[in-house]
């Protein structure tokens, strides 16, 4: 499915935020900088793109962009001259250190990714850039580029909109330059920041934006979208919606059986079985396999492990309303959950959090994961 200009009607749920954004325009009190904050998969980017389309569309009504005027036609490939995207990028191997990386270096990959829709993760973007193990950042080349673009007049005689995806990934030099632009923006320029970790953003930038918190989606909204957009039957949609924990991305992952989460589930099961059997030799092989995944993937895997530890602990209370698991996870939990209990749940959580911190600090992954595996042996003994 290809997506053109994004309309509010295509954003899943979030009616309250949609109404608030449209009300700002209607009452002529649109701030020059918005900060959309919230968890992954709630639809922040979808809202930002729908709002940008709404602002740039010359014939929108009170509710939505028209979808067919000349402005919307330009937005169909996300190539409108008055819409700028800012996002984290990598420095490909062999790139001159003198070249300041910016969004323009990956604009074709970005637009191609957006044609698949506004719900995506950093992992999807890293794959689009062929990033391997590299971290993606917004550097000073970006702020320099933006300053040049914003100095030009609006091509279509209306708003100029800059969507900044994950502004918390700006380095210090870029953030300070961006602060000056946000403090004194050109007329009719709107910055829409899409942020997942606002505490990592400069306080001075946060204080100059109007923050809108985008909440997790309701189970009913996800359920309805699965039935309406994906043709899923009601029972399956209900289970997937509960396991999705308010994230449309999680819901889509559940639909994809060959997905990353399947790998993580298998690695969790293998780790726990080998640790229970105290099979050091195979645990060493396990840690070497995981060490080859790349740091971003390792951190996502550890986040998944933390969730499964919590779900298995809650499973022991025999209250289905407290448990959010897929059928595969629940089948495993029937026999395994008793091994996660009051005696070891805090310790096991701490072990996984420490591994996540060490991976984030570029520790040797083989050592980190073998250390984790051996400590889990001890933790399981406390059952």
């Amino acid at each position: 499915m290809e997506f053109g200009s994004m309309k509010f009607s295509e954003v899943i749920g979030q009616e309250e935020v949609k109404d608030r954004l449209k009300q700002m325009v209607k009452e002529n009190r649109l701030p020059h900088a918005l900060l959309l904050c919230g968890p992954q998969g709630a639809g922040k980017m979808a809202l930002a793109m729908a709002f940008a389309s709404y602002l740039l569309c010359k014939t929108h009504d009170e509710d939505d962009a028209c979808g067919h005027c000349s402005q919307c036609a330009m937005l169909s490939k996300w190539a409108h001259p008055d819409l700028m995207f800012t996002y984290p990028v990598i420095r490909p191997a062999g790139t001159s250190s003198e070249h300041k990386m910016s969004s323009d270096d990956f604009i074709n990959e970005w637009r191609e990714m957006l044609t698949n829709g506004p719900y995506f993760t950093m992992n999807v973007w890293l794959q689009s850039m062929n990033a391997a193990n590299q971290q993606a950042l917004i550097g000073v080349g970006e702020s320099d580029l933006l300053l040049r673009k914003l100095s030009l007049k609006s091509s279509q005689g209306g708003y100029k909109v800059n969507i900044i995806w994950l502004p918390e990934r700006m380095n210090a030099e870029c953030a300070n330059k961006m602060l000056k632009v946000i403090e004194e923006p050109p007329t009719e320029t709107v910055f829409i920041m899409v942020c997942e970790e606002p505490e990592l953003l400069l306080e001075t930038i946060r204080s100059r934006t109007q923050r809108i918190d985008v909440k997790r989606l309701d189970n009913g909204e996800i359920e309805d979208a699965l039935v309406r957009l994906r043709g899923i039957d009601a029972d399956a949609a209900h289970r997937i919606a509960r396991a999705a924990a308010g994230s449309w991305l999680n819901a889509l992952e559940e639909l994809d059986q060959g997905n990353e989460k399947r790998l993580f589930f298998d690695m969790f099961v293998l780790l726990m079985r080998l640790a229970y059997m105290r099979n050091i030799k195979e645990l060493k092989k396990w840690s070497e396999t995981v060490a080859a995944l790349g740091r971003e993937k390792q951190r996502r895997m550890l986040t998944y492990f933390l969730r499964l530890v919590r779900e298995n602990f809650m499973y022991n209370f025999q209250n289905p309303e407290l448990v959010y698991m897929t059928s595969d996870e629940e089948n495993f939990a029937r026999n395994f959950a008793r091994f996660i209990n009051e005696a070891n749940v805090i310790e096991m959580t701490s072990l996984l959090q420490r591994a996540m911190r060490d991976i984030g600090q570029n520790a040797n992954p083989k050592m980190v994961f073998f250390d984790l595996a051996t400590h889990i042996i001890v933790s399981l003994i406390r059952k």
Side-chain angles (χ1 to χ4, degrees), residues 8-9 21 33 39 104 145 156 165 168 214-215 222 230 240-241 247 254 265 269 281 284 298 323 336 345 351:
F8 280 123
S9 58
L21 292 170
D104 274 8
L145 173 71
Q156 304 299 306
W165 183 55
E168 60 267 38
V214 181
K215 297 172 185 171
I222 295 177
R230 299 285 164 152
I240 290 169
S247 166
E254 297 295 341
F265 172 68
V269 171
K281 185 179 177 183
K284 192 167 188 299
Q298 288 159 1
V323 179
F336 175 71
V345 65
L351 288 172

Side-chain angles (χ1 to χ4, degrees), residues 299-349:
R299 288 166 75 176
R300 291 194 302 278
M301 186 188 77
L302 288 166
T303 301
Y304 175 79
F305 282 13
L306 278 163
R307 185 182 76 78
L308 267 199
V309 165
R310 181 258 177 208
E311 296 298 343
N312 276 272
F313 178 64
M314 298 308 290
Y315 187 87
N316 294 311
F317 294 99
Q318 299 298 311
N319 183 346
E321 288 304 309
L322 296 175
V323 179
Y324 295 85
M325 285 195 270
T326 64
S327 51
D328 284 342
E329 291 166 353
E330 200 168 330
N331 288 337
F332 176 66
R334 283 194 188 99
N335 294 318
F336 175 71
R338 68 181 189 274
F339 294 99
I340 308 288
N341 49 55
E342 291 90 342
N344 64 6
V345 65
I346 293 173
E347 179 185 8
M348 204 168 280
T349 299

Side-chain angles (χ1 to χ4, degrees), residues 107-140:
I107 189 65
N108 292 332
E109 291 84 350
W110 177 258
R111 285 175 181 156
E112 187 178 339
M113 182 181 71
L114 291 187
T115 62
N116 293 318
Y119 295 86
F120 54 85
T121 61
M122 172 54 77
N123 183 43
V124 170
W125 177 227
L126 288 170
Q127 287 175 346
S128 299
M129 292 188 288
N130 295 316
N133 284 343
Q134 291 168 280
Q135 303 258 12
L137 297 168
I138 302 175
V140 71

Side-chain angles (χ1 to χ4, degrees), residues 5 53 56-60 66-81 155-156:
S5 58
S53 299
L56 294 169
C57 172
K58 289 290 172 64
T59 57
H60 68 73
C66 73
H68 50 73
C69 69
S70 60
Q71 307 301 313
C72 289
M74 285 188 275
L75 287 163
S76 67
K77 296 293 181 187
W78 298 110
H80 194 290
S155 162
Q156 304 299 306

Side-chain angles (χ1 to χ4, degrees), residues 326-380:
T326 64
S327 51
D328 284 342
E329 291 166 353
E330 200 168 330
N331 288 337
F332 176 66
R334 283 194 188 99
N335 294 318
F336 175 71
R338 68 181 189 274
F339 294 99
I340 308 288
N341 49 55
E342 291 90 342
N344 64 6
V345 65
I346 293 173
E347 179 185 8
M348 204 168 280
T349 299
S350 297
L351 288 172
L352 291 166
Q353 288 171 337
R354 185 177 73 188
M356 193 180 291
R357 183 197 66 211
D358 290 344
I359 289 298
Q361 293 174 350
N362 290 334
N364 182 317
K366 284 185 186 177
M367 292 176 65
V368 170
F369 286 105
F370 188 58
D371 181 65
L372 170 67
T374 52
H375 277 87
I376 283 183
I377 292 175
V378 179
S379 193
L380 286 177

Side-chain angles (χ1 to χ4, degrees), residues 278-305:
R278 306 182 196 182
N279 190 332
I280 299 293
K281 185 179 177 183
E282 290 300 315
L283 282 171
K284 192 167 188 299
K285 283 186 188 174
W286 179 91
S287 57
E288 286 168 356
T289 302
V290 173
L293 294 178
R295 291 187 189 277
E296 294 275 358
K297 199 166 188 174
Q298 288 159 1
R299 288 166 75 176
R300 291 194 302 278
M301 186 188 77
L302 288 166
T303 301
Y304 175 79
F305 282 13

